[in-house]
Amino acid sequence: MSWHILGAGSLGSLWAVRLARAGVPVRLILRDAERLAAYQAAGGLTLVEHGQARLYPLAAQSVDDPEPIRRLLLACKAYDAEAAIAGLAPRLAADAELVLLQNGLGSQDAVAARVPQARCILASSTEGAYRDGAWRVVFAGHGHTWLGDPHQLAPPAWLGDLERAGIAHDWSLDILGRLWRKLALNCAINPLSVLYDCRNGGLSEHPAEVATLCGELRELLQTCGQADAASDLHEDVLRVIQATAANYSSMHQDVAQGRRTEVAYLLGYACRAARRHRLVLPHLEALHARLLEYLAAHGLPSH
Ligand code: NAP
């Protein structure tokens, strides 16, 4: 069965190339006829691995192609996910399965509400890829992808496709816990790295601020029924700060390159969840306000 992949960006291209190389039929879904023509003119996607670039002439179509979709990898940013799925909804088969690659939380619920008939499988990935040109993606960091479905614990039959494609993965029985934990790590590190304009390691100069945020994030996770994701959060944050000391966080990279961030699905989501539970988390709220102010001053949206 074919995989349709919406978003020939960093992660979408990485999945598409590896699935196609394993003999799995893949169709890229591009925004419109203009993007499709540009892709065809380029002759395909180029993936750079271990410094070697190779062109893959994968099949592509635009969003309004009539072909029905049974298996879809949604590989756009969190802020594009709901509109993207709304555009594809008429093409989804009755038994369609979606894999949602978006970082953070909030976009997955918005997608599921648009297509209640489809099975939505959530993913959390530590793989790293970036675009260094049109239709050209660099595979920067090998990692792991966890997949899971909070509503249906049995794994889908097609995990074998990922195995054959060499996409390192595990089926998780607690994917929401994983997404919450990743969101909490992100909230403790990424906004401060933007505000202090530093690499992750630079946060070791602000231990009290990091510790206070971790305390509030722990409280939030526990209140939201995510006690497992809350345990040892502060220790884990300190470990990540050390292990990634030389790196700029993804949010820092977005801001530095003038790209819209996924803040509404990370710190924004955390603050909304706290308010929903009438939980007062003053430091998290103040961090959010400072970050939004900083983004506005750099001409970037807060949503
Ligand atoms: P990306 O490189 O910006 O790619 C997103 C792609 O989605 C773009 O090609 C964009 O098309 C396409 N798109 C958006 N709306 C569309 C629509 N309506 N129809 C067709 N295509 C559409 O993003 P990414 O880095 O792969 O990130 C995807 C998600 O994975 C994010 O939530 C990110 O946080 C998460 N993630 C990424 C990485 C990583 O290393 N990159 C690692 C872990 C998690 P255009 O090119 O036409 O704009």
Side-chain angles (χ1 to χ4, degrees):
M1 195 191 293
S2 293
W3 280 74
H4 283 85
I5 298 186
L6 179 130
S10 311
L11 281 196
S13 300
L14 196 54
W15 278 59
V17 164
R18 289 178 296 179
L19 285 165
R21 282 196 305 220
V24 178
V26 162
R27 314 248 181 288
L28 297 171
I29 301 181
L30 309 177
R31 282 178 194 278
D32 50 31
E34 205 177 311
R35 291 293 281 156
L36 184 58
Y39 171 80
Q40 280 158 349
L45 282 179
T46 297
L47 183 69
V48 184
E49 274 175 298
H50 314 297
Q52 302 272 359
R54 205 177 138 190
L55 179 71
Y56 296 88
L58 306 183
Q61 53 186 230
S62 64
V63 167
D64 51 16
D65 189 282
E67 188 180 43
I69 296 172
R70 293 184 62 192
R71 192 164 296 157
L72 175 72
L73 178 72
L74 194 64
C76 56
K77 290 283 174 62
Y79 48 72
D80 282 328
E82 188 180 357
I85 204 64
L88 286 182
R91 294 180 54 187
L92 295 185
D95 59 350
E97 292 179 297
L98 275 51
V99 179
L100 309 182
L101 269 186
Q102 288 64 44
N103 202 2
L105 283 164
S107 70
Q108 299 89 344
D109 285 344
V111 167
R114 287 273 180 175
V115 287
Q117 80 283 13
R119 183 181 188 190
C120 288
I121 288 165
L122 318 187
S124 176
S125 180
T126 61
E127 291 196 308
Y130 63 88
R131 296 196 264 186
D132 76 341
W135 314 109
R136 196 180 140 102
V137 169
V138 180
F139 192 176
H142 288 263
H144 201 87
T145 302
W146 284 268
L147 301 136
D149 175 355
H151 302 293
Q152 201 179 319
L153 296 182
W158 46 256
L159 285 187
D161 284 354
L162 308 195
E163 199 70 50
R164 278 189 293 284
I167 299 173
H169 68 280
D170 271 304
W171 182 250
S172 167
L173 297 181
D174 182 22
I175 191 67
L176 280 178
R178 281 205 168 268
L179 286 162
W180 267 109
R181 176 67 162 217
K182 194 173 177 206
L183 179 142
L185 287 163
N186 186 297
C187 290
I189 296 173
N190 294 26
L192 286 179
S193 76
V194 169
L195 293 170
Y196 289 120
D197 190 11
C198 66
R199 295 174 200 266
N200 290 352
L203 298 187
S204 41
E205 285 165 35
H206 305 278
E209 212 169 347
V210 170
T212 308
L213 286 175
C214 287
E216 290 193 355
L217 286 162
R218 245 187 89 224
E219 214 182 319
L220 174 65
L221 263 52
Q222 282 167 342
T223 306
C224 292
Q226 298 293 336
D228 285 352
S231 77
D232 302 330
L233 178 64
H234 187 207
E235 290 80 350
D236 206 17
V237 166
L238 296 180
R239 184 192 60 76
V240 172
I241 287 174
Q242 276 219 325
T244 62
N247 301 351
Y248 283 110
S249 73
S250 53
M251 194 178 269
H252 187 287
Q253 291 176 40
D254 283 341
V255 173
Q257 291 172 35
R259 289 191 306 239
R260 182 175 173 185
T261 70
E262 294 181 300
V263 59
Y265 302 87
L266 296 160
L267 185 54
Y269 182 88
C271 289
R272 284 196 303 280
R275 275 178 241 136
R276 212 169 38 242
H277 288 281
R278 300 187 193 290
L279 199 59
V280 180
L281 300 176
H283 295 87
L284 210 61
E285 281 290 350
L287 179 71
H288 190 216
R290 276 165 70 199
L291 181 64
L292 295 190
E293 210 173 294
Y294 187 97
L295 294 178
H298 287 75
L300 293 170
S302 56
H303 56 279

